[in-house]
Amino acid sequence: MRPPPDGTRRTVVLVEGDSDRTALQALARRQGLDLVAADVEVVPMGGITNIRAFASHLGPRGLGLRLAGLYDAPDVARVCRGLAAAGLPQALDPDALPGLGFFACHADLEDELIRAHGTDGVERVIEAAGETRSLRLLAGMPAQRGWTRVALLRRFLGSRSGRKARYAGLLVEALEPGRVPPPLGALLASVGCGAAD
């Protein structure tokens, strides 16, 4: 990734993985926003442990691009240290992260989407995707008996390669008006392309 030739300041949104990128891109489309026109690129890092390397390469000590991001709240200490080491010392204060364009999912993206839909809503999306039988099979396995519906849905969403990213898009597309998970909406707004939904 190179800095834009015309001197404008491109924004790079750092996310943990493909499901986060898919969710943000789906939300932008849903809201009629063009990330490319806004010079915003969503970059999956292949895990939050890579935030220091990505921020160092792309941020103030590297290409000088504007950074923003989405992260899981349990990873806040790693995010703070990584951003500070990459040239954003104010990130050492977790309360400063939103002002820098970094927003926390309560537990993770799946948690945000399940809370936005409720378990019934998530199960309707699974049914529309033709995977109700797979969910029932998972629920019937001895290891999952007695689990809460939320725990079962979280397990289902992460139980097959590519499923997290697929459902990130499907769940965002199926959100009812006014139910956008706050960190996703705040992130798009912070990079200058948010809209109320």
Side-chain angles (χ1 to χ4, degrees), residues 85-99:
L88 296 167
Q90 60 272 48
L92 285 174
D93 177 3
D95 293 335
L97 292 177

Side-chain angles (χ1 to χ4, degrees), residues 133-141 144 152 155-156 159:
R133 183 173 181 275
S134 295
L135 179 61
R136 286 185 185 143
L137 287 171
L138 179 66
M141 291 181 177
Q144 276 72 242
L152 183 65
R155 176 72 178 112
F156 173 82
S159 65

Side-chain angles (χ1 to χ4, degrees), residues 24-77:
L24 287 168
Q25 291 173 335
L27 182 57
R29 281 192 308 274
R30 176 190 166 111
Q31 295 182 338
L33 306 171
D34 187 341
L35 295 177
V36 173
D39 216 5
V40 175
E41 184 174 357
V42 183
V43 175
M45 299 181 290
I48 200 66
T49 57
N50 296 318
I51 191 166
R52 179 178 180 167
F54 274 80
S56 294
H57 175 67
L58 299 169
R61 291 187 179 156
L63 297 177
L65 305 178
R66 179 180 175 217
L67 301 178
L70 191 68
Y71 64 95
D72 300 342
D75 296 322
V76 66

Side-chain angles (χ1 to χ4, degrees), residues 56-124:
S56 294
H57 175 67
L58 299 169
R61 291 187 179 156
L63 297 177
L65 305 178
R66 179 180 175 217
L67 301 178
L70 191 68
Y71 64 95
D72 300 342
D75 296 322
V76 66
R78 185 181 300 275
V79 172
C80 290
R81 289 192 307 268
L83 294 176
L88 296 167
Q90 60 272 48
L92 285 174
D93 177 3
D95 293 335
L97 292 177
L100 294 172
F102 285 80
F103 298 89
C105 293
H106 183 263
D108 55 23
L109 176 66
E110 292 72 34
D111 171 69
E112 293 288 346
L113 292 170
I114 290 170
R115 286 193 295 132
H117 279 278
T119 54
D120 289 341
V122 174
E123 288 180 22
R124 283 192 294 272

